[in-house]
Every structure is written in C-alpha cells, then in structure tokens.
Amino acid sequence: MVNFKWDFVWLFSTTVEFLPFFHKDQSGEVHSRFSHLSCGSLQINQSFNQILAGAFKDRFLFLLSLLFFQDDNWGETTTAVTGTSELSISQEEVVGLGKEIQDRTQGFRRYLPLAVGSCVGLLVLATPLVFLLLPVVVWPDRLQACGAACEGLFLSISFKILILLVAVWALFLRPSRACLPRVCVYRAFLTTLTLLLTMSYWLFYGVRILDAQDEDYHGIVQFAVSLVDSQLFVHYLAVVLLELRHLRPCYSVCVIRSTDGETRHYNIGQLSIQRAALTILEYYYRDFPLNNPALLSASKHRTAKHLAGLKVYNLDGSNGNQSRPMVTPTTKRKDNAHSELYYEEADYERRVRKRRARLVVAVEEAFTHVRRMKKEDENAAPSDIMDVREAALAVFPSMARSLQKYLRTTRRQHCHSMESIQKHLAFCLVNNMSPKAFLEAYLAPGPTLLYGPERWMADQWTLISEASVTSGIKEGTEFLLKCLDFSLAVTVKGIPYIRLTEEYIDPKSHKFILLLQSETSV
C-alpha cells in the first residue's frame, strides 16, 4: 500500500485542476460536469489526451479507476504487492542501532569530563608561566632589572601555583563515579568562567604587553600574580558550589522499591534531579537488601490457583440477548484465600526454622572440628600442617547439604555460588571467627554490594522524570529510577521549618520540705 500512497499524492498534485470537472452519481458511473455541452466535453477530452500522453496516461487512468470505481470498503479487501527497498530498515534494527551507538560512546562519555578538566587545568597552570617567560624570550634586552620586590613575587607565585595545582587535582581530576544523562550545570558554568577569565587575561596581555613590548617586568610579574589570585578565587567558588552547597539537609526523600515495597528515607541537600538520583542509588546499594524476584512466585501461584476455580462465560455469543456475568465461581463456597495464605505462610516459616536449625548445628560441628584440628596441628610436623584454604575445602562438604537446602527454602540459592561460600569460610577461619559470624551472611539477606557485580546491574538504570533532570529538586518532586525487573519510586518532601522556644525554670522551684512523723504505725 506504500506505492498507492505516493501514486495518489502524484495524482492529486498533477491533476488537481481537472478533478472538479468530474462527479460520481449514485449508480457508480463517472460523468463530466459539462456533459450537456458536447463541444466543451470534446475540448476537455482533447486536453486530457494532450496532457496525459505517453506513459503517464495509463498510470492516470488506472489510479482514476481506483479512485472512482471502487466500493466503500475497497481498502479492506484490496491486496497490493509492494517492493522492499534496499535501504529499508525495521524498528527493531533502529533500536538495536541506537543501543550499539550508546555502548560505543559509553567509554567516551565516561572519560570526557576528565579529559576536559585536564585540558582546562593545564591551560590554567601554564598561562601564568607563559606570561613570565615570553618577555624574557622575546625582548630580553629592553626589560628593566627585577629588584627584591619582584623576586618576592616570584616566590609568591610559585607557592600559589603549587597550591592551585593540588586544588585542581583534588577537585576536578577525580575519576567520575557515574555517567549522568546531562551535563552538570555548575561544573559547566565553572569551566566556562575559567576559560572566560583566562581568555580575558590573554587578550589584555596581548594588547597591552605583548604588542607594546612593555619594559616594566615588575608590572608583568604583578599581572601574572593577579591572574593566579583570580584563579584561586574561582576554585574557592567551585568548592562552595560543588562540595559545600548540598551538605546542609533541606529535603527528605522517600524511596520505595516496586517489587516488595521496601522503603527507606534519606535527608539530602540542594541537588539537581540527576545528582539526587545518583545519591539515592549509592544509598540503595548500601542499605537496600538484594532484590529477589523468586520471592514473588508464591503470590503468583496463589493467584493462578484462585483463577483456576473461576468459570469464564462468552459474552459475545449469538444466542440470546440477555447479559450474563463474565466470571462466576464453579462452586458456591466461601472464598478462603486468606486461610490458604495463613497456612502457607505458617508452613513456610516452619520449614525455614527447621532448615535453619539443621544448618546451625552443621556449621557449629564443622567449626568445632576445625578447632580440634588446629590444636592437633600445633604438635604436628610443618609438612603435615594444613593450609587455611585446604581446611575450608575439607570442612565444607559437612555443611554444604544443609546450607544448600536452607538457601533453596529461602529462595536465595542463586545469590551465593560455591566459590563465594568457600572464600567466605576461609576468611572466617583465618580471622578466627565464630560460627554465628559465618552464618550471618546467609541467614538474612544483605545489601546489594555484598554480592557479585553481576547482581548490581549498575549500567541498567534509567531516570524517568517529568521535569528537567538538570533542575533542582523541590517540594513535591517525583521521579522514577527504573532497572530491568523493578524500579525505585522517589518522592521529595521538604524538611519543615522548626521554631524552637525556650522556657525558663527557676532552680528554687524544685526545693521542697519533707516532714516525717515521729510516730509510726506498728
């Protein structure tokens, strides 16, 4: 149908002035509006034959027949064979091409701020030195002698450049923690301000000193010192905007995970939406337990079991016009889904406690065996002493079955590999830890950072926000951090203004007199 579309566009663009001469009656036949005038009709036909001569005539008549002689539903019953262009591309290929380009530019975007910061820092540090060296190289014979005050300025500018070098390295040359969707506004502003300041000094230096070949070298040194002072003030402004501004808490954010409803609250300062999202993700990896989709299978099983006891009727049947209920239970019994949930959770807790007790006993026996072997190794020959790794491999089979059953019962077997368990056991044996310290990593789900990088999904996050991600957060701001199979809903609330008053209490008001009776009852 694509070719028909462009053919009709060509038809209407080339014959728009001739279409008003035709009309279609109720019988479906095409007549000329000037059919009662034979001469006019003949002239119109001759003009058509002259215009549509050659290859365009057949094409025009074919499209005209499609336009006037088809029934009302011809578009639904007509089949057209169209060719596929060699340059055609599907929507899936477009999406794949976008992901491929994004993957290729990910490393470039990661190191681009570091490269820009290095170039700007090199320009900032080299400019004062070039200001001092150019007069000595270009017109050394015409320069005035540098006295004690000028040499003191050399010492001052040397220490200031050294301090500026360390400050630029500490603030701007750090590796980035994340790849944000947009450029940081404050960082871009500071970079632009630094370049503008440096270019302004270069312009003044080229016009007033380089072209005129100024002989006052003491004034040139003072000019370079003023540039370094200005750069130090810009660096101080960068510390205030990038490091100190967001330290004071101004907002309280509520973070809710979509799968299990895990909720945390954090206090943050004045940040943009993308910087607030980065801070929340750092808190997420530290505080939230690992997301476990296997725990949702129980609720899905109950839902499927409940729907299995329902009967669905067809509402679009041809027999009868009376409406019937869409879903009715097969048996008229009381819905006991809450009872099933109660007994299911009770049975699950019972099985977990049983597996946990067996695991604790097995681990305690293994650690007791290791301590006994350690005492025996004190009297053994050096060649017979077992390495810690070998000891961990020796005692691991005695607890492996109980640990495997417990992890399967709690649906966390995919979070711990055999290699990681053996490594953790060796770590506990080296540091002389108790069995409880070893089991703490498996009895309760830990934060996401405790597991392998394959569980982090650090490169799968997407920020969804109605407002611009470079704008600052405010009261009522909401955005979503979406991962593969879950998301984090973030709501921002402002910390209320607290008004604290003082109430003075006189110290003398606490004094009282205790009167004791001399006679007591027996």
Side-chain angles (χ1 to χ4, degrees), residues 290 414-417 420 448 451-460 484:
L290 181 66
H414 64 282
C415 301
H416 304 279
S417 62
S420 64
T448 309
Y451 302 92
E454 66 276 2
R455 304 292 178 188
W456 296 350
M457 295 180 290
D459 55 347
Q460 303 293 337
L484 292 178

PDB file of all heavy atoms in Angstrom, residues 290 414-417 420 448 451-460 484:
ATOM      1  N   LEU A 290      19.156  -7.192  48.735  1.00  0.00           N
ATOM      2  CA  LEU A 290      19.174  -7.585  47.329  1.00  0.00           C
ATOM      3  C   LEU A 290      17.769  -7.921  46.854  1.00  0.00           C
ATOM      4  O   LEU A 290      17.020  -8.631  47.531  1.00  0.00           O
ATOM      5  CB  LEU A 290      20.094  -8.787  47.136  1.00  0.00           C
ATOM      6  CG  LEU A 290      20.230  -9.310  45.709  1.00  0.00           C
ATOM      7  CD1 LEU A 290      20.915  -8.282  44.824  1.00  0.00           C
ATOM      8  CD2 LEU A 290      21.002 -10.622  45.696  1.00  0.00           C
ATOM      9  N   HIS A 414      20.438 -18.650  44.221  1.00  0.00           N
ATOM     10  CA  HIS A 414      21.099 -18.014  43.084  1.00  0.00           C
ATOM     11  C   HIS A 414      21.991 -16.858  43.491  1.00  0.00           C
ATOM     12  O   HIS A 414      22.748 -16.345  42.657  1.00  0.00           O
ATOM     13  CB  HIS A 414      20.037 -17.516  42.093  1.00  0.00           C
ATOM     14  CG  HIS A 414      19.162 -16.441  42.664  1.00  0.00           C
ATOM     15  ND1 HIS A 414      18.120 -16.706  43.530  1.00  0.00           N
ATOM     16  CD2 HIS A 414      19.177 -15.096  42.513  1.00  0.00           C
ATOM     17  CE1 HIS A 414      17.529 -15.583  43.869  1.00  0.00           C
ATOM     18  NE2 HIS A 414      18.147 -14.593  43.261  1.00  0.00           N
ATOM     19  N   CYS A 415      21.927 -16.432  44.742  1.00  0.00           N
ATOM     20  CA  CYS A 415      22.728 -15.291  45.204  1.00  0.00           C
ATOM     21  C   CYS A 415      24.111 -15.694  45.693  1.00  0.00           C
ATOM     22  O   CYS A 415      24.989 -14.832  45.826  1.00  0.00           O
ATOM     23  CB  CYS A 415      21.992 -14.556  46.322  1.00  0.00           C
ATOM     24  SG  CYS A 415      20.370 -13.927  45.857  1.00  0.00           S
ATOM     25  N   HIS A 416      24.311 -16.967  45.998  1.00  0.00           N
ATOM     26  CA  HIS A 416      25.575 -17.431  46.569  1.00  0.00           C
ATOM     27  C   HIS A 416      26.095 -18.599  45.733  1.00  0.00           C
ATOM     28  O   HIS A 416      25.412 -19.615  45.586  1.00  0.00           O
ATOM     29  CB  HIS A 416      25.395 -17.876  48.023  1.00  0.00           C
ATOM     30  CG  HIS A 416      24.803 -16.835  48.917  1.00  0.00           C
ATOM     31  ND1 HIS A 416      25.546 -15.824  49.476  1.00  0.00           N
ATOM     32  CD2 HIS A 416      23.516 -16.641  49.328  1.00  0.00           C
ATOM     33  CE1 HIS A 416      24.753 -15.059  50.213  1.00  0.00           C
ATOM     34  NE2 HIS A 416      23.524 -15.534  50.138  1.00  0.00           N
ATOM     35  N   SER A 417      27.277 -18.450  45.206  1.00  0.00           N
ATOM     36  CA  SER A 417      27.932 -19.531  44.488  1.00  0.00           C
ATOM     37  C   SER A 417      28.803 -20.339  45.440  1.00  0.00           C
ATOM     38  O   SER A 417      29.126 -19.899  46.561  1.00  0.00           O
ATOM     39  CB  SER A 417      28.769 -18.979  43.336  1.00  0.00           C
ATOM     40  OG  SER A 417      29.796 -18.137  43.835  1.00  0.00           O
ATOM     41  N   SER A 420      32.096 -18.502  46.225  1.00  0.00           N
ATOM     42  CA  SER A 420      31.987 -17.406  47.193  1.00  0.00           C
ATOM     43  C   SER A 420      31.788 -17.933  48.615  1.00  0.00           C
ATOM     44  O   SER A 420      32.320 -17.356  49.570  1.00  0.00           O
ATOM     45  CB  SER A 420      30.822 -16.503  46.794  1.00  0.00           C
ATOM     46  OG  SER A 420      29.588 -17.204  46.860  1.00  0.00           O
ATOM     47  N   THR A 448      23.041  -4.961  48.601  1.00  0.00           N
ATOM     48  CA  THR A 448      23.380  -5.387  47.249  1.00  0.00           C
ATOM     49  C   THR A 448      24.883  -5.445  47.021  1.00  0.00           C
ATOM     50  O   THR A 448      25.369  -6.298  46.266  1.00  0.00           O
ATOM     51  CB  THR A 448      22.732  -4.424  46.237  1.00  0.00           C
ATOM     52  OG1 THR A 448      21.345  -4.295  46.547  1.00  0.00           O
ATOM     53  CG2 THR A 448      22.863  -4.933  44.828  1.00  0.00           C
ATOM     54  N   TYR A 451      27.118  -8.781  47.285  1.00  0.00           N
ATOM     55  CA  TYR A 451      27.079  -9.830  46.288  1.00  0.00           C
ATOM     56  C   TYR A 451      27.952  -9.434  45.096  1.00  0.00           C
ATOM     57  O   TYR A 451      28.546  -8.354  45.069  1.00  0.00           O
ATOM     58  CB  TYR A 451      25.643 -10.100  45.861  1.00  0.00           C
ATOM     59  CG  TYR A 451      24.753 -10.487  47.031  1.00  0.00           C
ATOM     60  CD1 TYR A 451      24.036  -9.521  47.728  1.00  0.00           C
ATOM     61  CD2 TYR A 451      24.668 -11.801  47.444  1.00  0.00           C
ATOM     62  CE1 TYR A 451      23.232  -9.860  48.807  1.00  0.00           C
ATOM     63  CE2 TYR A 451      23.866 -12.160  48.516  1.00  0.00           C
ATOM     64  CZ  TYR A 451      23.152 -11.180  49.194  1.00  0.00           C
ATOM     65  OH  TYR A 451      22.373 -11.521  50.266  1.00  0.00           O
ATOM     66  N   GLY A 452      28.031 -10.303  44.122  1.00  0.00           N
ATOM     67  CA  GLY A 452      28.919 -10.069  42.993  1.00  0.00           C
ATOM     68  C   GLY A 452      28.454  -8.938  42.110  1.00  0.00           C
ATOM     69  O   GLY A 452      27.297  -8.510  42.147  1.00  0.00           O
ATOM     70  N   PRO A 453      29.367  -8.429  41.268  1.00  0.00           N
ATOM     71  CA  PRO A 453      28.987  -7.335  40.352  1.00  0.00           C
ATOM     72  C   PRO A 453      27.884  -7.712  39.382  1.00  0.00           C
ATOM     73  O   PRO A 453      27.206  -6.826  38.854  1.00  0.00           O
ATOM     74  CB  PRO A 453      30.300  -7.024  39.618  1.00  0.00           C
ATOM     75  CG  PRO A 453      31.384  -7.541  40.514  1.00  0.00           C
ATOM     76  CD  PRO A 453      30.803  -8.745  41.196  1.00  0.00           C
ATOM     77  N   GLU A 454      27.695  -9.001  39.114  1.00  0.00           N
ATOM     78  CA  GLU A 454      26.620  -9.393  38.200  1.00  0.00           C
ATOM     79  C   GLU A 454      25.249  -9.157  38.806  1.00  0.00           C
ATOM     80  O   GLU A 454      24.241  -9.154  38.081  1.00  0.00           O
ATOM     81  CB  GLU A 454      26.761 -10.865  37.820  1.00  0.00           C
ATOM     82  CG  GLU A 454      26.551 -11.844  38.962  1.00  0.00           C
ATOM     83  CD  GLU A 454      27.803 -12.066  39.796  1.00  0.00           C
ATOM     84  OE1 GLU A 454      28.833 -11.413  39.485  1.00  0.00           O
ATOM     85  OE2 GLU A 454      27.769 -12.883  40.728  1.00  0.00           O
ATOM     86  N   ARG A 455      25.163  -8.952  40.132  1.00  0.00           N
ATOM     87  CA  ARG A 455      23.895  -8.665  40.794  1.00  0.00           C
ATOM     88  C   ARG A 455      23.640  -7.166  40.945  1.00  0.00           C
ATOM     89  O   ARG A 455      22.555  -6.771  41.349  1.00  0.00           O
ATOM     90  CB  ARG A 455      23.880  -9.301  42.183  1.00  0.00           C
ATOM     91  CG  ARG A 455      24.139 -10.797  42.202  1.00  0.00           C
ATOM     92  CD  ARG A 455      23.017 -11.557  41.578  1.00  0.00           C
ATOM     93  NE  ARG A 455      23.290 -12.996  41.552  1.00  0.00           N
ATOM     94  CZ  ARG A 455      22.540 -13.870  40.927  1.00  0.00           C
ATOM     95  NH1 ARG A 455      21.466 -13.473  40.274  1.00  0.00           N
ATOM     96  NH2 ARG A 455      22.861 -15.157  40.928  1.00  0.00           N
ATOM     97  N   TRP A 456      24.626  -6.340  40.632  1.00  0.00           N
ATOM     98  CA  TRP A 456      24.482  -4.899  40.857  1.00  0.00           C
ATOM     99  C   TRP A 456      23.606  -4.254  39.796  1.00  0.00           C
ATOM    100  O   TRP A 456      22.808  -3.375  40.100  1.00  0.00           O
ATOM    101  CB  TRP A 456      25.841  -4.227  40.885  1.00  0.00           C
ATOM    102  CG  TRP A 456      26.704  -4.686  42.019  1.00  0.00           C
ATOM    103  CD1 TRP A 456      26.333  -5.456  43.091  1.00  0.00           C
ATOM    104  CD2 TRP A 456      28.096  -4.420  42.190  1.00  0.00           C
ATOM    105  NE1 TRP A 456      27.395  -5.679  43.921  1.00  0.00           N
ATOM    106  CE2 TRP A 456      28.502  -5.048  43.400  1.00  0.00           C
ATOM    107  CE3 TRP A 456      29.050  -3.704  41.471  1.00  0.00           C
ATOM    108  CZ2 TRP A 456      29.811  -4.978  43.876  1.00  0.00           C
ATOM    109  CZ3 TRP A 456      30.345  -3.642  41.942  1.00  0.00           C
ATOM    110  CH2 TRP A 456      30.722  -4.272  43.133  1.00  0.00           C
ATOM    111  N   MET A 457      23.810  -4.658  38.530  1.00  0.00           N
ATOM    112  CA  MET A 457      23.090  -4.043  37.396  1.00  0.00           C
ATOM    113  C   MET A 457      23.283  -2.525  37.390  1.00  0.00           C
ATOM    114  O   MET A 457      22.344  -1.743  37.250  1.00  0.00           O
ATOM    115  CB  MET A 457      21.601  -4.395  37.435  1.00  0.00           C
ATOM    116  CG  MET A 457      21.310  -5.870  37.255  1.00  0.00           C
ATOM    117  SD  MET A 457      19.557  -6.280  37.300  1.00  0.00           S
ATOM    118  CE  MET A 457      19.201  -5.974  39.032  1.00  0.00           C
ATOM    119  N   ALA A 458      24.550  -2.123  37.579  1.00  0.00           N
ATOM    120  CA  ALA A 458      24.846  -0.695  37.696  1.00  0.00           C
ATOM    121  C   ALA A 458      24.693   0.055  36.378  1.00  0.00           C
ATOM    122  O   ALA A 458      24.544   1.283  36.383  1.00  0.00           O
ATOM    123  CB  ALA A 458      26.269  -0.505  38.233  1.00  0.00           C
ATOM    124  N   ASP A 459      24.735  -0.657  35.247  1.00  0.00           N
ATOM    125  CA  ASP A 459      24.619   0.003  33.943  1.00  0.00           C
ATOM    126  C   ASP A 459      23.239  -0.155  33.328  1.00  0.00           C
ATOM    127  O   ASP A 459      23.061   0.054  32.118  1.00  0.00           O
ATOM    128  CB  ASP A 459      25.665  -0.550  32.976  1.00  0.00           C
ATOM    129  CG  ASP A 459      25.584  -2.060  32.840  1.00  0.00           C
ATOM    130  OD1 ASP A 459      24.896  -2.686  33.674  1.00  0.00           O
ATOM    131  OD2 ASP A 459      26.197  -2.621  31.913  1.00  0.00           O
ATOM    132  N   GLN A 460      22.240  -0.523  34.129  1.00  0.00           N
ATOM    133  CA  GLN A 460      20.891  -0.757  33.620  1.00  0.00           C
ATOM    134  C   GLN A 460      19.875   0.248  34.155  1.00  0.00           C
ATOM    135  O   GLN A 460      18.668   0.056  33.982  1.00  0.00           O
ATOM    136  CB  GLN A 460      20.424  -2.178  33.984  1.00  0.00           C
ATOM    137  CG  GLN A 460      21.337  -3.280  33.488  1.00  0.00           C
ATOM    138  CD  GLN A 460      21.340  -3.399  31.978  1.00  0.00           C
ATOM    139  OE1 GLN A 460      20.397  -2.981  31.309  1.00  0.00           O
ATOM    140  NE2 GLN A 460      22.401  -3.960  31.427  1.00  0.00           N
ATOM    141  N   LEU A 484      15.920  -3.307  35.318  1.00  0.00           N
ATOM    142  CA  LEU A 484      15.379  -4.319  34.427  1.00  0.00           C
ATOM    143  C   LEU A 484      14.030  -4.838  34.885  1.00  0.00           C
ATOM    144  O   LEU A 484      13.040  -4.763  34.160  1.00  0.00           O
ATOM    145  CB  LEU A 484      16.387  -5.477  34.304  1.00  0.00           C
ATOM    146  CG  LEU A 484      17.684  -5.150  33.569  1.00  0.00           C
ATOM    147  CD1 LEU A 484      18.598  -6.366  33.562  1.00  0.00           C
ATOM    148  CD2 LEU A 484      17.409  -4.706  32.148  1.00  0.00           C
TER     149      LEU A 484
END
